[in-house]
Amino acid sequence: MQETQKEALVQKMHAEVGRLKTEVVRLKEVTKPVAPDDSIGRLSRMDNIVNNSVNTAALTKAESRLAGLEYLLRNIDDPDFGYCVECGEPIPHERLMAIPGVRLCIQCAE
Ligand SMILES: [Zn+2]
């Protein structure tokens, strides 16, 4: 991988880390357990439970993507960086830029 491509990618990954951190904070806020409050009413409590499970899933996903990106950024000089973890082929730069932190080539991801 060319140095300039790598630099662009590192910038992209840092931007994505920043975005994910904001997202994790927001999701943690919305997944906080709500105190039972009769003024909410039964129906909206049901809504809350449903929304919460969706948000909790989103939070788990965001946290694992964040951990993955932070790991990659720490190991950016790893010679395997930018290669598919499945088949070992280089991952096209466009794909790396489109999905920061992606570790599979298009074929293996399918
Ligand atoms: Zn592959």
Side-chain angles (χ1 to χ4, degrees):
M1 192 184 301
Q2 289 169 12
E3 278 307 305
T4 49
Q5 285 189 329
K6 199 169 180 177
E7 267 169 38
L9 194 57
V10 167
Q11 271 185 14
K12 184 96 184 176
M13 284 163 75
H14 274 299
E16 186 68 3
V17 164
R19 196 189 66 79
L20 284 166
K21 277 185 176 162
T22 312
E23 184 72 356
V24 165
V25 169
R26 187 186 69 81
L27 288 167
K28 275 191 175 152
E29 193 60 37
V30 293
T31 50
K32 262 189 199 160
V34 270
D37 181 350
D38 280 328
S39 67
I40 297 177
R42 226 173 83 85
L43 270 178
S44 44
R45 241 203 311 277
M46 289 293 285
D47 271 356
N48 253 325
I49 291 165
V50 174
N51 283 339
N52 242 354
S53 65
V54 171
N55 287 327
T56 304
L59 176 61
T60 309
K61 208 173 148 196
E63 278 180 327
S64 81
R65 279 213 65 200
L66 184 58
L69 278 169
E70 283 179 330
Y71 173 83
L72 284 176
L73 282 167
R74 273 197 305 273
N75 296 280
I76 199 80
D77 292 320
D78 191 314
D80 290 337
F81 181 79
Y83 290 87
C84 175
V85 290
E86 196 69 33
C87 68
E89 290 294 316
I91 300 170
H93 185 68
E94 296 70 43
R95 178 166 167 79
L96 289 169
M97 287 297 281
I99 315 167
V102 70
R103 308 192 66 191
L104 289 172
C105 70
I106 293 167
Q107 283 87 344
C108 293
E110 273 170 1

